Amino acid sequence: MHNTPAWVSEAELLAQVSQLKVNRLVLGGTLYNSGGEVVGNFGEPPQLSLAQANQTATSHYEGSRYDVAWFANELGRDYTLILRHDASFIRGELLAYVGKVVGVMVIISAFVTLVTMLVIEPVVIVPILQLRRDLILAGEVASQEGEIPQFHCSSSRRRDELGEVMMAFEQMFYRVHQAIAQRQQAQNALKKLNDSLEARVAERTAQLAQANAEIVALNERLKAENQYLLEIDQMKTDFLSTVSHELRTPLTSVLGFAKLIEKKLDEVIFPVVKTEDRKTKRAVEQVGGNIGIIISEGERLTALINDVLDIAKMEAGKVEWKMTPLQVEEVIEHAIAATSALFQHKGLVLKQDLAAGLPKIIGDRDRLIQVLINLISNAVKFTPQGSVTCKLRKTDNQIIISVIDTGIGIAAENRSKVFDKFRQLGDTLTDRPTGTGLGLPICQQIVEHHGGQIWVESELGQGSNFSFTLPIASGFSKNFSTVDLNILLQQLQVPDNSSSESSQKPQKTILVVDDDAPIRTLLTQELEAQGYQILQAKDGLEAIKQAKQTKPDLIVMDVMMPQMNGFDAAAVLKNDPQTLAIPIIILSVVEDQQRGYRLGVDRYLNKPINTEVLLQDIDLSLSQGTSKKEVLVVDEDASNVRL
């Protein structure tokens, strides 16, 4: 029908369409003209309508039926033919054809496989299996012998691609086993190294353990030695303190009796001795001079003992510091006044370079004066001629005090030794020692306690410069004024005209309490010479008994005594209504003023005896009548109240 000419009539066209019935594939059909009218049909009518064919698709499936539309352009005229085909027949024919094709392909594949097996097995598979067996065998040999095995493969001698593959496998085998062998060697070497290191570590550990045990033992010995040295140092300090105290007691008697003898000679004996005779006059002068030497040397020995006591107390932390606000200029003035006689004796010039308007410091006035007196005395001692300069200046938050001399100076190798205890520079065989070697160490202790530093600058033959610093007190202005406690005490000690009747007695009774008989004798002679009646007691118990019986006007008492010490005796007397009003003056080598004043004693003096101070305090205490005086102290600072 595709070849139907364009001039065919409609009847002829229907005739040609009807001929399609003889085709087993065509079950029926319908012919439409251009107007959509059915021209003719045959067989089973198609389910695909003309409208559906024009709107959706040119074919339609329904089970085993298949409708196809043929449009006018395909027929050469303006007609449309829709045919219904039997799809089941087509499917059966197709399946039969596919089955034939598959059968042929299976036969061909089996033939090709058979041929391939027959051809490839001896050429490829057998050599590969042989390679596998050779590799397994070589691996077993390598695992047994631990070395690189000999690997031979007959297929490696082939010159085709398989031979190249076999040669590559052989090379890879050798390389792998070579790497394995190298790794094994490295592991063996590492194991040996580990074993060696473990042995060395164990050996070193044992050495360290032994060294540690030795260090521990040494440390224990050092601790024991250090403890022993501390005990020795404490024993030394205690020994110095004890010896110094024991020396002060007989020294008190020596000095006291020497001064008493000098006084008697000057006032009683020498005036009645006829000095016209040259020998007598010479003898009088010699006796007077000898007594003066005894007193002078006794006072020098007292100063030496005081130095030993000071250093012992500082090391033991038993120094009583009296820290108050003060002007450094006043300290320097007192020190210069105390050493002025030294300058006159040696003919040296004293220069002062003192900055004005300096702020106050917090310090112990007496101790700072002691430092300056020591430095000035040393400067005078080691300056044959020239001058000594006291310099005062302020830098930052501290004050620097310097004592500069034009003396012999200090060698470089000795500058670091000047602050060593018991160190005296110079040749001890040719240079006569003039002290204990404790002056500068004591100065260092005092300065460091005040928060300062002390040092020396010197060159041999060019003089020395000893300087020390003191921190400026915070919270005090330049115009801050303080009460002079000495003046206040003097004002409080003014004789009371309204005292008790005992002050009107023509002769006062004084009880002298001391376990040392020479001291009692000395005090008795000194006080009897002043017109006092003297009673004596050798310990605290006897003092309490006599005080209750005789009611003395005043008691002068030592501290260190048998049976009962002076502190305990003073406590008993001050807590007994019968003896509460009796003034007590402590006179002892023990320097514990705070304890004495807390017990209620009226004065606390130290041995050796300063006769003038003792007589003055006795006179003041007796003139006040009784020991019971109350003073109200008002101050916001608790430390000032305690002071």
Side-chain angles (χ1 to χ4, degrees):
M1 292 184 62
H2 290 282
N3 298 322
T4 303
W7 56 88
V8 177
S9 63
E10 189 174 293
E12 293 176 346
L13 181 58
L14 289 172
Q16 292 181 3
V17 170
S18 298
Q19 294 177 1
L20 294 175
K21 294 188 295 183
V22 298
N23 193 332
R24 294 183 300 175
L25 296 176
V26 178
L27 297 178
T30 301
L31 180 64
Y32 297 91
N33 61 15
S34 59
E37 299 176 351
V38 177
V39 177
N41 54 46
F42 67 94
E44 184 178 341
Q47 295 296 317
L48 180 64
S49 66
L50 178 61
Q52 290 176 339
N54 291 330
Q55 292 176 3
T56 59
T58 60
S59 61
H60 174 71
Y61 286 97
E62 184 181 359
S64 61
R65 302 293 185 260
Y66 177 56
D67 298 339
V68 178
W70 301 92
F71 295 102
N73 58 349
E74 294 184 9
L75 297 174
R77 285 177 180 258
D78 294 331
Y79 295 97
T80 300
L81 177 63
I82 298 177
L83 297 177
R84 168 158 281 209
H85 299 82
D86 186 1
S88 61
F89 176 76
I90 297 174
R91 187 180 299 161
E93 291 293 330
L94 182 60
L95 290 176
Y97 177 75
V98 171
K100 293 178 181 179
V101 173
V102 170
V104 174
M105 291 297 296
V106 169
I107 294 172
I108 293 174
S109 298
F111 178 75
V112 171
T113 300
L114 179 60
V115 173
T116 301
M117 293 295 295
L118 293 175
V119 175
I120 293 178
E121 181 179 4
V123 178
V124 177
I125 297 177
V126 172
I128 291 176
L129 294 175
Q130 182 63 38
L131 175 62
R132 177 176 176 275
R133 288 192 297 270
D134 292 342
L135 288 172
I136 294 173
L137 181 62
E140 292 176 354
V141 173
S143 63
Q144 293 175 0
E145 297 180 357
E147 298 178 355
I148 299 177
Q150 296 296 325
F151 175 71
H152 297 287
C153 181
S154 58
S155 300
S156 63
R157 292 189 292 273
R158 297 174 54 145
R159 296 185 178 181
D160 54 4
E161 290 80 359
L162 186 58
E164 293 180 358
V165 172
M166 300 301 175
M167 289 181 64
F169 265 102
E170 184 176 351
Q171 293 176 0
M172 183 182 66
F173 176 84
Y174 278 114
R175 289 177 182 175
V176 169
H177 281 277
Q178 186 177 9
I180 294 173
Q182 291 176 351
R183 181 179 178 184
Q184 187 65 37
Q185 292 176 358
Q187 289 178 346
N188 294 336
L190 182 60
K191 185 176 182 303
K192 291 181 180 179
L193 180 60
N194 286 337
D195 294 340
S196 175
L197 287 176
E198 288 178 359
R200 292 174 61 185
V201 168
E203 180 182 359
R204 186 59 178 166
T205 301
Q207 293 176 354
L208 290 176
Q210 182 179 0
N212 186 53
E214 293 177 355
I215 291 174
V216 171
L218 179 60
N219 189 40
E220 293 298 327
R221 289 198 298 269
L222 289 176
K223 287 182 179 178
E225 291 292 336
N226 185 54
Q227 183 62 32
Y228 176 73
L229 291 176
L230 290 176
E231 292 176 358
I232 292 296
D233 186 67
Q234 185 61 40
M235 290 173 60
K236 179 263 297 179
T237 301
D238 295 341
F239 172 77
L240 290 176
S241 179
T242 302
V243 169
S244 299
H245 283 100
E246 293 301 324
L247 288 176
R248 285 178 118 177
T249 299
L251 182 60
T252 299
S253 299
V254 171
L255 272 176
F257 281 112
K259 292 179 179 180
L260 187 58
I261 291 172
E262 183 182 40
K263 183 179 179 181
K264 295 294 183 182
L265 288 174
D266 292 338
E267 295 178 357
V268 180
I269 298 177
F270 288 162
V272 299
V273 174
K274 296 180 180 180
T275 57
E276 290 82 0
D277 184 25
R278 293 177 58 187
K279 291 184 178 180
T280 303
K281 183 178 180 180
R282 182 178 180 185
V284 168
E285 293 176 352
Q286 287 179 346
V287 169
N290 292 341
I291 293 298
I293 292 174
I294 293 174
I295 295 173
S296 175
E297 291 301 303
E299 291 175 347
R300 190 164 72 89
L301 181 57
T302 300
L304 298 179
I305 293 174
N306 289 337
D307 284 347
V308 174
L309 278 176
D310 278 345
I311 200 68
K313 287 190 296 182
M314 288 179 182
E315 289 180 349
K318 296 180 180 179
V319 177
E320 296 180 2
W321 301 93
K322 301 175 183 178
M323 308 298 285
T324 58
L326 53 88
Q327 293 287 160
V328 181
E329 296 91 330
E330 297 177 2
V331 174
I332 295 178
E333 289 176 1
H334 282 83
I336 291 176
T339 56
S340 58
L342 300 177
F343 290 94
Q344 297 175 2
H345 178 72
K346 293 195 68 173
L348 300 177
V349 177
L350 172 63
K351 298 180 180 180
Q352 299 185 45
D353 182 8
L354 309 180
L358 295 180
K360 292 179 179 292
I361 65 166
I362 298 294
D364 187 319
R365 177 177 175 275
D366 294 335
R367 291 293 181 181
L368 292 177
I369 292 175
Q370 179 182 355
V371 172
L372 275 172
I373 289 176
N374 192 289
L375 295 180
I376 295 174
S377 300
N378 284 345
V380 173
K381 184 189 304 182
F382 296 104
T383 303
Q385 59 182 3
S387 64
V388 175
T389 303
C390 290
K391 188 174 183 180
L392 177 63
R393 63 189 185 278
K394 174 182 176 293
T395 60
D396 297 332
N397 294 323
Q398 59 185 5
I399 292 176
I400 301 179
I401 306 171
S402 301
V403 177
I404 307 168
D405 64 64
T406 59
I408 60 177
I410 303 172
E413 63 271 13
N414 291 328
R415 283 198 294 270
S416 61
K417 305 175 184 178
V418 294
F419 295 104
D420 293 345
K421 289 181 291 188
F422 304 104
R423 172 77 67 175
Q424 289 184 329
L425 303 182
D427 188 350
T428 57
L429 297 179
T430 58
D431 299 336
R432 177 176 176 265
T434 57
T436 58
L438 293 175
L440 290 176
I442 292 174
C443 293
Q444 185 179 41
Q445 295 263 9
I446 295 173
V447 171
E448 290 179 352
H449 179 81
H450 285 75
Q453 294 180 336
I454 186 170
W455 69 93
V456 60
E457 300 171 359
S458 180
E459 294 292 339
L460 193 62
Q462 298 182 10
S464 302
N465 180 358
F466 281 85
S467 302
F468 64 94
T469 61
L470 294 173
I472 296 174
S474 59
F476 294 97
S477 63
K478 292 183 180 180
N479 297 325
F480 181 87
S481 60
T482 58
V483 177
D484 191 329
L485 293 180
N486 292 328
I487 296 177
L488 177 61
L489 289 175
Q490 290 176 4
Q491 293 172 351
L492 292 175
Q493 292 169 355
V494 173
D496 187 2
N497 294 328
S498 61
S499 60
S500 63
E501 295 180 358
S502 61
S503 63
Q504 304 299 325
K505 293 181 180 180
Q507 190 177 31
K508 303 291 186 180
T509 302
I510 298 177
L511 174 60
V512 176
V513 186
D514 200 303
D515 63 324
D516 190 74
I519 296 295
R520 294 199 304 271
T521 303
L522 174 63
L523 290 174
T524 299
Q525 293 183 16
E526 290 280 6
L527 297 177
E528 285 180 345
Q530 299 298 320
Y532 297 111
Q533 182 179 354
I534 306 301
L535 301 175
Q536 294 186 13
K538 62 180 181 298
D539 57 53
L541 291 176
E542 187 177 347
I544 295 173
K545 181 179 179 181
Q546 288 202 38
K548 291 181 178 181
Q549 292 176 353
T550 62
K551 302 295 190 298
D553 298 292
L554 184 139
I555 299 174
V556 178
M557 183 162 51
D558 189 16
V559 171
M560 299 177 64
M561 297 181 295
Q563 303 298 325
M564 178 182 287
N565 62 57
F567 288 139
D568 293 341
V572 173
L573 293 172
K574 288 299 180 180
N575 285 278
D576 190 334
Q578 298 181 20
T579 57
L580 175 63
I582 301 175
I584 299 176
I585 296 179
I586 293 290
L587 182 61
S588 175
V589 296
V590 178
E591 298 183 5
D592 197 352
Q593 288 88 344
Q594 294 297 328
R595 183 179 178 183
Y597 290 133
R598 285 196 301 268
L599 293 174
V601 301
D602 296 78
R603 304 288 185 274
Y604 198 112
L605 304 177
N606 293 117
K607 296 177 181 178
I609 300 170
N610 187 325
T611 305
E612 294 180 1
V613 174
L614 176 61
L615 294 176
Q616 181 182 0
D617 286 344
I618 289 175
D619 182 60
L620 287 172
S621 298
L622 290 173
S623 63
Q624 292 173 356
T626 64
S627 173
K628 189 175 182 180
K629 287 184 176 290
E630 295 182 356
V631 178
L632 176 62
V633 179
V634 181
D635 197 298
E636 63 180 2
D637 191 342
S639 61
N640 290 338
V641 175
R642 289 195 299 269
L643 180 63

